[in-house]
Amino acid sequence: MTTSTSDVERSDVERKAVLDSAEDMARLDPGGMLKIVSDLPQQIRDALGIAGRADFPASLAGARCIVSAGLGGSAIGGDVVRELVADELKVPMVVVRDYDLPAFVDRDTLVFVSSYSGNTEETLSAYGIARERGARMVCITSGGRLAELATRDGVPLVTIPQGFPPRTALGYLFVPMLVALARLGYVRDAAEGFEEAELILRDLAVVLGPESPTSVNQAKRLALAMHGKIPLIYGSSGITGAAALRWKTQINENSKTHAFWNAFPELNHNETVGWGAGEDISKALRVVLLKDKGDHPRVQRRMEITATLMGGAAGIDEVYSLGRSKVARLLSLVYVGDFASLYLAFLYGVDPKPVKVIDYLKNELARS
Ligand code: F6R
């Protein structure tokens, strides 16, 4: 089958039209994901209220290391917190996405166990191990078995609202962890950063939201750029790395398509070599560089040089963080990616909300 230029142009025009049609987007979004994502600033405010009312006993202070255990949308909150506190937390913090916990976990470890549903088997296994080892624990969940276990065992429990796809509950999942670390004396209070983040996200909700036309909407333009390509999201080993991982997983789950991420400077020591592959391979890739003013100056230079090496890519887009505080900068990057992943879903004609493959896997595992 041959495709004429006019066909290509017409399909581009038609695709773009979906993103400028409130009706088309409403049809493709019966679960209201655009609204849920738009509401992130309010969710953060609510999460601050929930965390403010939570009880974090003094016995949780003074641990020698911190672990965040969870999977998927309930794990990314741990990455977000780890990057936000990296330059002030005096003890190591590790994010574990597995059934098992590392051997170092003991009674001097503070373990946050997060599962939005409360029923993820790997997370429940990690809960059991943390209990066995006598770790100090906090559970964050909307209910399920995890809430039952924490209640039975007298483990501090932060109960977050039900009814969200886990990946859209990022605010509910990371804010209580950060508030707990501040209240227990591990890090400073991040209140000021949250105020700034809320203001920036509220502004972004307008400029990235469905009513903002493609001609001026960065998230819609990024979705068009990634459409038909495999997105490669590159951050660096700071807050942009956590944001890059979030972009990748949101594109997977919302847009139902492949996406990969990596971080500078490490990618310069392996992945960059792959750009020597033939143009026919590289042209299938669309690169998004996530940039932040806190990036190490040498990383900034590395990004510039690497961009010239990736000339074979279908294109390279750059997204800059906004704000002064780390919270605002990280969340501003996350927010662009969250919206872009929804618009990409619409371009593929898929409903961003259900993740049938994950549900299928969980059901099959539950049967065996
Ligand atoms: C679904 C999602 C998934 C889940 C993961 C773990 O929206 O984001 O990645 O987060 O399957 O489930 P929970 O979060 O319930 O522990």
Side-chain angles (χ1 to χ4, degrees), residues 130-282:
R131 281 278 299 160
E132 266 166 38
R133 306 249 187 99
R136 309 164 200 206
M137 296 169 68
V138 176
C139 292
I140 304 171
T141 182
S142 71
R145 183 79 185 126
L146 187 60
E148 286 168 12
L149 292 173
T151 307
R152 181 196 73 187
D153 299 337
V155 170
L157 173 65
V158 181
T159 306
I160 57 181
Q162 295 189 331
F164 290 81
R167 62 193 182 281
T168 65
L170 176 66
Y172 289 127
L173 288 156
F174 92 88
V175 170
M177 217 183 291
L178 197 57
V179 169
L181 291 181
R183 200 164 336 138
L184 295 164
Y186 292 98
V187 294
R188 284 188 311 270
D189 187 7
E192 201 187 316
F194 278 119
E195 274 167 35
E196 189 199 20
E198 195 187 328
L199 287 174
I200 287 179
L201 294 186
R202 282 194 193 283
D203 284 349
L204 280 178
V206 177
V207 295
L208 301 174
E211 276 154 38
S212 160
T214 305
S215 53
V216 294
N217 187 320
Q218 184 188 27
K220 289 182 180 178
R221 298 181 78 83
L222 282 160
L224 281 165
M226 293 188 287
H227 181 261
K229 309 286 172 200
I230 299 174
L232 281 193
I233 317 298
Y234 286 170
S236 73
S237 52
I239 58 173
T240 58
L245 168 58
R246 168 73 173 183
W247 273 61
K248 175 245 186 292
T249 56
Q250 291 291 82
I251 293 168
N252 295 148
E253 293 189 51
N254 291 337
S255 327
K256 279 82 177 163
T257 187
H258 299 292
F260 298 91
W261 78 287
N262 211 332
F264 289 92
E266 172 63 16
L267 73 83
N268 275 163
H269 299 273
N270 35 68
E271 184 155 326
T272 311
V273 184
W275 285 95
E279 259 209 4
D280 45 342
I281 296 178
S282 298

Side-chain angles (χ1 to χ4, degrees), residues 27 239 276 320 340 355:
R27 180 177 47 78
I239 58 173
Y320 292 85
V355 280

Side-chain angles (χ1 to χ4, degrees), residues 236-238 240 264-265 268 290-306 329:
S236 73
S237 52
T240 58
F264 289 92
N268 275 163
L290 303 185
K291 295 190 161 184
D292 176 59
K293 65 179 181 189
D295 289 337
H296 191 288
R298 301 297 290 166
V299 163
Q300 294 178 19
R301 183 70 192 117
R302 280 175 182 278
M303 284 189 177
E304 286 165 12
I305 300 170
T306 308
R329 278 150 47 210

Side-chain angles (χ1 to χ4, degrees), residues 71-74 114-118 120 123 165-167 253 355 358 362:
L71 276 293
S74 293
S114 304
S115 168
Y116 182 78
S117 63
T120 299
T123 315
R167 62 193 182 281
E253 293 189 51
V355 280
I358 298 177
K362 288 184 178 178

